[in-house]
Amino acid sequence: AVVSTQSTGDNDRGYQFRQNPQNVKVFNIQGQGSNVALDLALALNTNQYGRTFEDRTHVFEIRERPESIPADAKIHNLNVRGKRGNIVQTYPGVEYDYQPNRLEAEVGDYVHIQWTGANSNPQNNAGQGRAGTDRNNIALLREITYPKEGAWEDEAHGCFACNYPGLISNTTNLLGLSWEEQMMLAYHTNKGSFYGDVEELDDTATYFDLGPKRMTQAGIWRFMCTRNNNFTNRSQKGEIRVVPSGETAA
């Protein structure tokens, strides 16, 4: 039967939801030796039936592989998941995190860094920057200050125990990216519309896309989001581990 708020030809069982019907026919045995019509009551308000109160639909786009990228090359997608707020306010979702927060690739692979945000978060949700907004960035973590013997033997760029970014210079090594690309990851170049605090990324757009970048050297890079990594409250850090082609990342 058709469930509808409009007149249809399929309403002989009472499935035309108009004027808050109390009952709908399930079995009609009248004329079969009985005069009993078996109905079930519905908890229904037709004034609300056709309305959408919380639109949780999402749209994503799958684009064709750029012609500059070989057909057999692997492309890794690095995004951000989660929403603004503390662990209680985001439930059943999660707080901000890179997705994946530990990415493993080989030399010759491509890493596509992109993420999206919103300007419609609840105004009272905990977080940094302009209320109701979420923004992200990537900044290489600083090196360990006091290395200990036998520790940090992987010679990674950036220390997970640090909560402070390193200084971006012409010699800073982050995935082999240029100085301009590292500045784009840290600060963005596509501006938003609020013209707020620059240091908390309020002046950036909700969407960021660095584009696919080919991994040209092996190494380990650890990074953070300067806006959302709130020390003891929220940690937004990630790692990209690139190994020589043909090897499996440990």
Side-chain angles (χ1 to χ4, degrees):
V2 175
V3 177
S4 174
T5 57
Q6 304 295 324
S7 297
T8 69
D10 298 316
N11 62 355
D12 54 345
R13 292 181 57 207
Y15 267 48
Q16 182 186 357
F17 291 159
R18 303 182 67 187
Q19 306 302 322
N20 294 332
Q22 297 298 313
N23 303 315
V24 63
K25 294 179 181 179
V26 180
F27 294 102
N28 188 359
I29 58 177
Q30 291 179 338
Q32 301 181 28
S34 173
N35 293 324
V36 179
L38 300 180
D39 298 341
L40 290 178
L42 299 177
L44 179 69
N45 183 346
T46 53
N47 292 330
Q48 314 293 348
Y49 191 81
R51 298 176 61 187
T52 300
F53 289 91
E54 294 186 29
D55 185 356
R56 299 186 179 184
T57 58
H58 294 77
V59 177
F60 68 93
E61 179 179 346
I62 301 177
R63 300 180 181 179
E64 293 185 4
R65 178 184 294 256
E67 295 181 357
S68 59
I69 298 180
D72 59 347
K74 182 180 293 185
I75 302 176
H76 302 267
N77 207 20
L78 178 59
N79 304 137
V80 171
R81 66 171 182 163
K83 60 179 291 185
R84 182 186 181 102
N86 58 40
I87 192 172
V88 175
Q89 293 167 332
T90 61
Y91 182 85
V94 297
E95 298 173 299
Y96 295 117
D97 193 13
Y98 295 108
Q99 179 61 32
N101 52 28
R102 282 177 169 82
L103 190 153
E104 299 179 348
E106 295 183 1
V107 172
D109 290 351
Y110 289 76
V111 174
H112 189 177
I113 301 176
Q114 59 179 326
W115 56 72
T116 186
N119 298 325
S120 55
N121 288 277
Q123 292 292 310
N124 63 336
N125 276 19
Q128 310 307 121
R130 185 182 179 93
T133 69
D134 50 16
R135 298 294 189 269
N136 293 273
N137 69 345
I138 285 180
L140 185 67
L141 284 162
R142 62 171 294 179
E143 303 296 340
I144 187 171
T145 304
Y146 302 105
K148 298 180 180 180
E149 183 178 355
W152 319 105
E153 295 177 351
D154 50 20
E155 298 181 356
H157 301 278
C159 168
F160 261 149
C162 299
N163 288 288
Y164 201 84
L167 178 66
I168 300 177
S169 68
N170 291 329
T171 61
T172 301
N173 183 358
L174 174 58
L175 302 173
L177 299 175
S178 67
W179 181 86
E180 290 78 11
E181 290 169 334
Q182 294 184 56
M183 288 295 292
M184 290 175 61
L185 283 173
Y187 177 65
H188 304 199
T189 55
N190 45 340
K191 300 301 182 182
S193 57
F194 292 135
Y195 303 100
D197 292 335
V198 174
E199 63 270 18
E200 292 199 304
L201 306 177
D202 285 344
D203 195 27
T204 62
T206 56
Y207 177 64
F208 175 81
D209 181 11
L210 187 66
K213 300 298 178 181
R214 186 174 183 271
M215 300 294 98
T216 60
Q217 57 184 281
I220 302 172
W221 291 269
R222 293 166 178 159
F223 47 87
M224 66 177 293
C225 175
T226 57
R227 167 162 157 156
N228 302 324
N229 189 74
N230 199 351
F231 299 93
T232 60
N233 293 329
R234 286 174 291 279
S235 176
Q236 187 178 348
K237 298 177 182 177
E239 175 185 279
I240 297 178
R241 182 182 296 256
V242 182
V243 300
S245 179
E247 293 187 10
T248 302

